[in-house]
Amino acid sequence: MDINQESLNLHYKLQGKIEVISRKKIETKEDLSLLYTPGVAQPCREIAADYNKSFELTRRNNLVAVITDGSAVLGLGDIGPAAGMPVMEGKCALFKEFADVDAFPICINSKDVDTIVQTIYLISQSFGGINLEDIAAPRCFEVEKRLKELCDIPVFHDDQHGTAIVVAAAMLNALKITGNEMGQMRIVVNGAGAAGIAIGKLLISMGFGNIIMCDINGIICEGDAGLNPGQEVSHVSNRNKEHGSLADAMKGADAFVGVSRPGLVTKEMVGTMNKGIVFAMANPVPEIMPEEALKGGAAVVGTGRSDFPNQINNVLVFPGIFKGALSVRAREITEAMKREAAYAIAKMIPEEELRADYIIPSPLNRQVADVVARAVAETAKREGIARSALLTILYRAVLETAHALRQHGRPAGRWRPYQVISAFRTRRYATRASLFCG
């Protein structure tokens, strides 16, 4: 079967992979009055009085924007926003299929950071979360950073963090096969773009060991000229300040993670590794084909492809990440949430079932999203960023305080409970608490 032609035929037939479905049929005048005018005015008034009601009275509570500028689409590169639409639609379909999260594709016709950030920020109050997709490095780092500062909903660049989480999950199980010790590993990450840098940072954060980052010029070391803003990972990677080529980096390495280009690794290079774990994830052609890596002595091999064992695919991550974050109205996705998501995915395979060709759940495993969602939601609660719980506590505290003030003959002041809660909806307004409590 020619998968490309079959896919093209299907796309012509479907003319789009997603659609909008009404959650209530409109069959009578009463239906029309309730769902639209005049009845719809009342939820509008409620939201105008309390911003947080927008999550209760609209689909915003379960709606994610999947946004690209079309500059780094799959392995196709900069093909533009319109050409990126099939991928964004596919992503939205995965959100719905695997996590029952509604998602909407948005393709922005600009590569200007200010324009992208402003556009997304201005539409952000229509959504419960923002999934950035296929935006080229280093622009993607600045876009995500600024949006996190501006928006009061989770912003998550899946190419970075989704990939990093699924790699970490696979690595947790792979080291159990090879017998490596956590904290003692030497891991080479080849490809210092969006995914590679995020992988390096997360592996360091989780304490795997010494992470050696490589790009087209070889090993990245702190102080190298020409590092882009996203490559500050050089400050915490490459502990011994090594220099050299990719082949030099792989000598004695316990693991290799490739998010780069086809054919960069040979079986001879794998042969210099120590009980080699090889994740060759360039798509559609990996850095080294699995059979070649195994001939070179690799103990565990994974790729991004579905036609080989151990498919390391971020569809295991993003549906559950957002489902969990939305369920508790977390205002962001933190490093701790990413770590816990990785552990949750890894634990999906019982230790007695682990094999060299089975270290990660199938991307089609429908249970993964719920497991990840629970881990993310619980972490958000522990970290105090689960607003569904925080707002309930705050609202009760406000009512009790106002009641106590009235009992003592003191006015509660010009602040109403909903105004105090609305003021808490972003961190930058948190100081307003003193106006009520001070």
Side-chain angles (χ1 to χ4, degrees), residues 257-273:
V257 178
V259 279
S260 48
R261 291 188 290 110
L264 295 180
V265 175
T266 66
K267 63 182 180 181
E268 288 76 20
M269 293 163 69
V270 173
T272 68
M273 297 174 67

Side-chain angles (χ1 to χ4, degrees), residues 309-376:
N310 297 328
Q311 184 183 12
I312 303 170
N313 191 307
N314 54 8
V315 74
L316 290 167
V317 178
F318 65 83
I321 284 279
F322 274 98
K323 184 172 186 175
L326 291 170
S327 72
V328 295
R329 281 198 51 210
R331 61 177 175 259
E332 62 182 311
I333 294 168
T334 65
E335 290 302 308
M337 292 158 82
K338 296 173 197 173
R339 291 193 294 268
E340 291 305 315
Y343 281 112
I345 294 169
K347 289 175 183 176
M348 288 289 294
I349 303 179
E351 290 201 19
E352 62 272 16
E353 295 181 18
L354 283 174
R355 305 187 308 269
D357 62 354
Y358 183 47
I359 59 167
I360 195 80
S362 163
L364 296 176
N365 187 329
R366 304 264 171 164
Q367 298 176 348
V368 175
D370 285 338
V371 170
V372 172
R374 281 195 294 274
V376 168

Side-chain angles (χ1 to χ4, degrees), residues 24-203:
K24 175 74 170 69
K25 286 188 177 297
I26 302 175
E27 297 174 327
T28 67
K29 287 186 177 181
E30 183 181 11
D31 293 336
L32 188 60
S33 296
L34 291 172
L35 294 177
Y36 198 52
T37 185
V40 74
Q42 190 54 36
C44 291
R45 294 185 190 102
E46 294 285 319
I47 294 169
D50 181 358
Y51 164 84
N52 292 287
K53 290 289 183 70
S54 67
F55 291 91
E56 299 174 34
L57 297 173
T58 74
R59 195 59 174 167
R60 188 181 180 194
N61 65 83
N62 195 52
L63 184 59
V64 172
V66 178
I67 304 178
T68 189
D69 66 356
S71 60
V73 180
L74 299 179
L76 303 173
D78 185 356
I79 60 175
M85 185 67 163
V87 178
M88 302 309 114
E89 283 192 342
K91 194 90 171 191
C92 293
L94 294 175
F95 266 113
K96 190 64 176 177
E97 283 291 319
F98 289 99
D100 198 26
V101 169
D102 297 315
F104 199 86
I106 297 172
C107 301
I108 298 174
N109 189 20
S110 176
K111 295 183 181 67
D112 177 69
V113 170
D114 290 339
T115 301
I116 295 170
V117 169
Q118 181 73 348
T119 300
I120 296 172
Y121 172 65
L122 289 175
I123 65 173
S124 64
Q125 290 194 7
S126 299
F127 301 95
I130 303 292
N131 184 105
L132 300 174
E133 192 74 20
D134 293 346
I135 299 173
R139 182 166 57 252
C140 61
F141 303 120
E142 182 68 12
V143 169
E144 184 186 43
K145 176 177 178 290
R146 287 171 56 179
L147 284 171
K148 283 183 174 180
E149 294 169 353
L150 287 170
C151 297
D152 64 344
I153 55 176
V155 177
F156 184 81
H157 186 198
D158 184 50
D159 302 299
Q160 292 186 62
H161 312 300
T163 308
I165 291 165
V166 73
V167 166
M171 193 68 71
L172 285 168
N173 282 340
L175 64 82
K176 295 174 183 176
I177 299 292
T178 60
N180 292 105
E181 289 186 32
M182 195 73 166
Q184 304 301 314
M185 296 184 72
R186 175 186 173 90
I187 302 176
V188 176
V189 178
N190 192 55
I197 290 170
I199 291 167
K201 286 181 177 178
L202 186 60
L203 295 180

